[in-house]
Amino acid sequence: MTTLPFPLAEEPDDFAKERGRKLFAGPSEFVKGVVAMTGLPTPDRLEVCFAGRSNVGKSSLINALTGTKGLARASNTPGRTQEINFFTQGPDLYLVDLPGYGYANAPVNVVEKWQKLLKQYLSGRQTLRRAFVLIDARHGVKPVDAEIMKLLDTSAVTFQCVLTKADKVKANEREKVLEQTRAALSKHPAAFPEIVLTSSEKGDGIPTLRSIIAHLE
Ligand SMILES: Nc1nc2c(ncn2[C@@H]2O[C@H](COP(=O)(O)OP(=O)(O)OP(=O)(O)O)[C@@H](O)[C@H]2O)c(=O)[nH]1
Ligand SMILES: [Mg+2]
């Protein structure tokens, strides 16, 4: 039997799951939205960020992880989250909601400004332990996603692929997307070798992702 590269992350055992649950049982709060590196909060705790195309479900995932509806604004209007938004999770963690990329109607100067800020953030944030790159489980890795992964390869941080909206795909479609995603990830040295399948709507994969975050050091 051959082992597939980039397997789906397994469900954590009870102990690991409990650690994740505990971390996210604490309060979460919006800290600030940032448009320039100078505005970043003091890097005094561990940090993880969520990147992905507009509408992929970044804000919804943060809401699901924290169990706080409406903490990160989720909407039907792509491109709504324009700033780097910082949230605390308990006293020791920042969750960072990055602006969505690949928004077709964004003016060129806006895109350039955003890319510059993202680059600076990803390469210059010492406390950033992992970047989660969200990919729509219906669509797989698009060229804009591959661009971001390339950028992550050159920054110091490991990225992990999270498939979103699992509730919207049938099993056979899911396998196809997984295959495509694995092929795309295998081109990126900074990719963490496990994929997390999630549904913010149904809660699939949320305890797993909580546990992954709780075990980062
Ligand atoms: N069915 C389903 N819908 C979801 C899921 N996650 C997000 N959505 C929907 O997808 C849309 C976009 O979600 P957001 O969380 O706002 O996406 P985003 O990535 O933060 O978007 P931007 O901030 O514009 O970059 C919303 O209508 C959500 O309700 C999911 O797991 N399942
Ligand atoms: Mg958002």
Side-chain angles (χ1 to χ4, degrees):
M1 206 175 84
T2 53
T3 317
L4 285 171
F6 301 99
L8 287 177
E10 278 181 29
E11 275 232 7
D13 62 28
D14 287 350
F15 182 78
K17 200 185 267 182
E18 179 58 13
R19 198 160 151 192
R21 190 198 65 76
K22 260 200 187 135
L23 171 64
F24 283 91
S28 29
E29 270 170 39
F30 173 67
V31 181
K32 66 192 299 200
V34 169
V35 292
M37 287 297 280
T38 49
L40 297 182
T42 310
D44 58 359
R45 63 196 79 192
L46 205 127
E47 188 165 312
V48 296
C49 70
F50 299 86
R53 297 170 70 210
S54 290
N55 221 41
V56 70
K58 298 175 292 296
S59 301
S60 302
L61 187 64
I62 289 178
N63 290 339
L65 284 169
T66 59
T68 318
K69 265 205 181 122
L71 177 71
R73 273 191 302 182
S75 77
N76 279 314
T77 318
R80 177 89 174 262
T81 313
Q82 301 284 2
E83 305 172 325
I84 298 184
N85 285 315
F86 282 81
F87 304 89
T88 52
Q89 176 55 62
D92 302 319
L93 177 67
Y94 276 131
L95 302 171
V96 181
D97 191 4
L98 295 173
Y101 51 77
Y103 178 43
N105 296 333
V108 175
N109 63 328
V110 171
V111 172
E112 279 173 359
K113 201 176 149 214
W114 180 81
Q115 282 176 338
K116 194 174 155 211
L117 178 60
L118 185 73
K119 221 178 221 169
Q120 288 173 329
Y121 169 72
L122 291 174
S123 56
R125 190 72 171 161
Q126 280 175 359
T127 44
L128 182 62
R129 280 299 171 275
R130 191 158 299 176
F132 293 101
V133 177
L134 277 55
I135 301 291
D136 192 312
R138 296 167 299 178
H139 305 144
V141 178
K142 300 283 181 187
V144 269
D145 300 312
E147 285 299 311
I148 294 297
M149 291 175 185
K150 244 193 239 169
L151 179 64
L152 285 158
D153 284 337
T154 63
S155 74
V157 60
T158 300
F159 74 86
Q160 183 162 11
C161 177
V162 174
L163 293 177
T164 62
K165 309 191 186 184
D167 58 285
K168 288 202 169 184
V169 281
K170 297 195 179 73
N172 61 335
E173 261 177 82
R174 202 184 76 185
E175 286 314 305
K176 264 188 228 159
V177 171
L178 265 173
E179 212 170 287
Q180 189 265 356
T181 303
R182 286 178 176 128
L185 290 175
S186 65
K187 297 185 183 126
H188 297 280
F192 186 82
E194 256 182 12
I195 298 171
V196 192
L197 182 66
T198 65
S199 165
S200 299
E201 191 98 353
K202 305 278 184 222
D204 305 6
I206 300 302
T208 305
L209 193 51
R210 283 180 181 152
S211 169
I212 288 170
I213 295 171
H215 285 80
L216 293 173
E217 282 177 355

